[in-house]
Amino acid sequence: MKKLPDHLEFMVSETYRYFSHSPLREQKYASLYSTINVGEQPLQILQLSGRRWLAIAQCVSRILEQYDEFKLHFEISDDYTGYALSNFCIPRHYEGDLENVLIPWGLIQDRTERLARDIFHEIKDEPLTALCVLKGGYRFYTDLLDKLTTLNRFHASVSVPLHVDFIRLKSYENDDSTGKIRVIGGDNLNNLRNRNVLVVEDIIDTGRTMERLLAILKEHEPKSVKVASLLVKRRPDSTGYRPDYCGFEVPDRFVVGYALDYNEYFRDLNHICVINDSGKEKYKIPL
Ligand code: IMP
């Protein structure tokens, strides 16, 4: 496994973060990068302008392919059809409501273990307040914290003291973002003052919820804020927001299970699945 030279690490990660999702970001950062030299292979990223962001994303992907350890996320491609439901134990009450299993529970566990390790090594001995975004984030949160506390038990040299906090937001009705994000419960956010906060969320869709939440948190003057999201959806209308830690990047489909809901249904499903049209119809809120 090759190690990305230090001086390129920042450049590649920032390029990737800013260019892979939002064409709007390109103009802002285009002037920063012109050529990336990786070992003997110079990768030309010429005069960035207009809609060259896609070319940049492709170049960066090529770099990332060569440097396994630098892969920032786990991408599930748009043409991926998932696993047949018949291969897994699906609660009988949801059997007719799902298209496929996109991410089996076991894979979520394995990926979460790796995210916990990345967080653990980055935070080191600093106390950390893990803020769970309810309700969708609760299963990812408990599994992530479980894995962090396991690391705490087995590492003699590094130890991350953990505090837990919760916040409840509301933004979705049926499978549509309402655009209005409201804090509807949780702990007193003043507790976050001067703390290193790790926000734990189920999914970044357009990115609006997280951008709004980060603005709210900032008002309470935390020492630092990082975000771990189990999923990031590839949406054409994304704000371009990228979390610090991402479990899986997924296609633009409505997914349920592992605490992600459709109008409060499917939280009691272990795997992350794509909901089908009849499921959407069955559990729709009449408008
Ligand atoms: P955003 O503001 O568009 O990023 O939406 C984020 C919120 O929408 C998440 O916290 C979820 O509660 C909800 N959400 C977005 N997409 C999905 C999905 O595919 N399944 C379940 N909930 C979703």
Side-chain angles (χ1 to χ4, degrees):
M1 194 189 297
K2 292 182 214 164
K3 169 91 177 76
L4 197 64
D6 284 348
H7 68 286
L8 289 177
E9 219 169 84
F10 176 77
M11 182 195 270
V12 173
S13 67
E14 288 300 288
T15 310
Y16 185 80
R17 193 185 286 268
Y18 289 115
F19 289 99
S20 67
H21 271 74
S22 172
L24 297 177
R25 302 265 182 181
E26 185 209 353
Q27 285 157 7
K28 202 164 160 196
Y29 292 91
S31 57
L32 292 179
Y33 310 108
S34 56
T35 304
I36 295 179
N37 284 289
V38 184
E40 290 111 60
Q41 288 178 285
L43 280 176
Q44 298 288 331
I45 297 179
L46 299 166
Q47 300 306 311
L48 313 173
S49 64
R51 300 198 158 268
R52 296 293 289 273
W53 68 275
L54 188 60
I56 299 159
Q58 282 162 355
C59 286
V60 172
S61 299
R62 276 170 50 202
I63 298 170
L64 294 176
E65 273 162 26
Q66 295 175 55
Y67 296 96
D68 283 355
E69 68 181 356
F70 203 66
K71 281 190 175 145
L72 293 176
H73 66 289
F74 187 129
E75 190 176 315
I76 298 179
S77 64
D78 287 341
D79 55 5
Y80 178 66
T81 51
Y83 300 90
L85 298 168
S86 56
N87 289 326
F88 295 89
C89 295
I90 303 292
R92 202 152 57 83
H93 50 277
Y94 292 140
E95 267 174 3
D97 308 327
L98 304 166
E99 209 167 292
N100 58 39
V101 174
L102 193 69
I103 313 173
W105 179 83
L107 182 55
I108 300 171
Q109 297 305 313
D110 292 335
R111 180 74 184 125
T112 304
E113 191 173 50
R114 176 57 202 250
L115 292 181
R117 196 177 84 178
D118 292 348
I119 294 166
F120 188 78
H121 286 298
E122 209 164 298
I123 305 286
K124 298 215 169 73
D125 293 312
E126 295 254 350
L128 182 68
T129 298
L131 180 68
C132 175
V133 183
L134 293 169
K135 298 179 187 175
Y138 94 90
R139 288 192 71 168
F140 176 46
Y141 183 81
T142 48
D143 285 334
L144 186 68
L145 259 66
D146 204 31
K147 291 172 195 341
L148 281 169
T149 50
T150 304
L151 288 166
N152 266 338
R153 283 204 307 279
F154 294 112
H155 278 255
S157 53
V158 183
S159 197
V160 178
L162 289 165
H163 299 262
V164 295
D165 258 318
F166 299 86
I167 188 166
R168 183 142 182 230
L169 305 175
K170 182 109 185 110
S171 66
Y172 253 65
E173 220 148 70
N174 294 328
D175 57 352
D176 258 341
S177 173
T178 60
K180 286 172 255 142
I181 290 123
R182 285 177 297 139
V183 178
I184 56 169
D187 289 312
N188 182 350
L189 294 178
N190 289 327
N191 297 340
L192 303 180
R193 196 160 188 277
N194 272 331
R195 295 211 173 254
N196 294 304
V197 178
L198 177 71
V199 179
V200 182
E201 170 70 304
D202 54 354
I203 183 165
I204 307 289
D205 189 8
T206 61
R208 285 197 297 240
T209 303
M210 190 48 68
E211 288 188 343
R212 174 84 188 103
L213 175 59
L214 292 176
I216 294 170
L217 295 181
K218 210 171 155 200
E219 289 166 18
H220 297 272
E221 300 178 350
K223 185 170 169 197
S224 70
V225 180
K226 297 231 167 177
V227 176
S229 180
L230 179 62
L231 307 177
V232 173
K233 227 187 254 185
R234 274 189 301 280
R235 273 185 73 133
D237 58 346
S238 159
T239 61
Y241 173 78
R242 298 285 297 178
D244 301 277
Y245 307 97
C246 161
F248 304 89
E249 191 188 281
V250 295
D252 187 6
R253 312 288 310 275
F254 202 84
V255 291
V256 292
Y258 193 69
L260 283 103
D261 73 312
Y262 177 81
N263 295 331
E264 296 300 328
Y265 291 90
F266 301 102
R267 294 200 201 272
D268 56 333
L269 174 66
N270 266 0
H271 313 292
I272 293 180
C273 300
V274 176
I275 188 172
N276 65 17
D277 289 341
S278 90
K280 283 187 191 169
E281 200 49 43
K282 186 163 154 190
Y283 299 112
K284 195 171 175 173
I285 294 178
L287 297 174

